[in-house]
Amino acid sequence: MPELVFFCGTMDCGKSTLALQIEHNRSARGLQGMIFTRDDRAGEGKLSSRLGLVTDAVEAADGFDFYGYLVDRLSRGGRCDYVIADEAQFLAPEQIDQLARVVDDLDLDVFAFGITTDFRSKLFPGSQRLVEMADRVEVLQVEALCWCGARATHNARTIGGAMVVEGAQVVVGDVHQSGDEVGYEVLCRRHHRRRITAEKAKAAALSPDVLPVDGRLAAGGR
């Protein structure tokens, strides 16, 4: 039976790479899919991976109707054997419902990829609806790591290396941004709660006042 499958994880855990791998595997067997994306880091109408892989996609902007688009394509004699929807966290709940209808009414597998929570640890509306509607939710097993080495579970928005907790829910950026650009960093829960990014941890480690130590102890005295 066709399924709506939601592949989720933090940033930097290989979601887009897996989407491209699924596309490769299925197209190699003669199947033809439709790829959709929204606000990809590579620009409009692109699905890209941080490994450097990129392919063309249909941009699913506000108001885009997945079900209507696919019905029109098929009624014109076009072919579609499966659907890939990347950056699904940016989709509206009604667009997720359209993807579910594609599965149920058009008998097509739909593979959706996205992160679950934003930089404030709040669910994206699209991701919430996917959790509610998907036949399966698959948490990706390629673990992104916090700067401390622990498993990263949260996405942080940064400006100049400092974590920010206010602003619009959707601001396109990427990890490892420098300067005053909006960037993102994955953190474990502990350091997300404390707002300690890699840059802040480095600054603290370089500070002579981080661990005030008795001079006698530092010199080996008792």
Side-chain angles (χ1 to χ4, degrees), residues 135-147:
D135 296 293
R136 285 191 291 128
V137 177
E138 301 282 353
V139 179
L140 296 191
Q141 298 303 306
V142 178
E143 294 184 351
L145 299 179
C146 177
W147 60 264

Side-chain angles (χ1 to χ4, degrees), residues 129-166:
R129 192 59 177 155
L130 273 165
V131 171
E132 294 166 347
M133 295 295 288
D135 296 293
R136 285 191 291 128
V137 177
E138 301 282 353
V139 179
L140 296 191
Q141 298 303 306
V142 178
E143 294 184 351
L145 299 179
C146 177
W147 60 264
C148 69
R151 178 173 177 266
T153 55
H154 290 63
N155 305 293
R157 180 180 294 171
T158 62
I159 297 180
M163 181 174 161
V164 295
V165 294
E166 296 182 350

Side-chain angles (χ1 to χ4, degrees), residues 34-38 44-47 55-61 64 66 69 73 84 86:
M34 283 297 305
I35 302 176
F36 300 93
T37 191
R38 172 74 182 268
E44 184 174 334
K46 299 292 182 182
L47 190 165
T55 191
D56 291 330
V58 176
E59 186 76 12
F64 182 85
F66 287 93
Y69 182 95
R73 176 184 174 87
I84 289 174
D86 197 29

Side-chain angles (χ1 to χ4, degrees), residues 1-107:
M1 294 290 290
E3 289 185 306
L4 171 58
V5 186
F6 180 32
F7 294 94
C8 60
T10 62
M11 298 180 72
D12 233 5
C13 74
K15 296 180 301 300
S16 296
T17 301
L18 179 58
L20 289 164
Q21 184 68 55
I22 288 176
E23 161 64 13
H24 170 76
N25 290 352
R26 291 187 167 236
S27 62
R29 292 294 178 264
L31 300 176
Q32 186 173 329
M34 283 297 305
I35 302 176
F36 300 93
T37 191
R38 172 74 182 268
D39 294 336
D40 188 275
R41 71 184 73 85
E44 184 174 334
K46 299 292 182 182
L47 190 165
S48 67
S49 163
R50 290 190 179 86
L51 297 183
L53 305 173
V54 63
T55 191
D56 291 330
V58 176
E59 186 76 12
D62 289 338
F64 182 85
D65 185 341
F66 287 93
Y67 184 79
Y69 182 95
L70 288 165
V71 166
D72 182 67
R73 176 184 174 87
L74 294 170
S75 65
R76 292 173 181 268
R79 181 180 171 186
C80 182
D81 299 310
Y82 60 94
V83 171
I84 289 174
D86 197 29
E87 305 294 354
Q89 72 273 5
F90 297 144
L91 300 178
E94 55 267 26
Q95 290 176 311
I96 303 304
D97 290 342
Q98 293 162 11
L99 291 175
R101 189 179 179 191
V102 167
V103 175
D104 296 340
D105 294 357
L106 302 182
D107 291 329

Side-chain angles (χ1 to χ4, degrees), residues 212-222:
V213 180
D214 187 304
R216 293 172 300 167
L217 294 176
R222 296 182 182 274

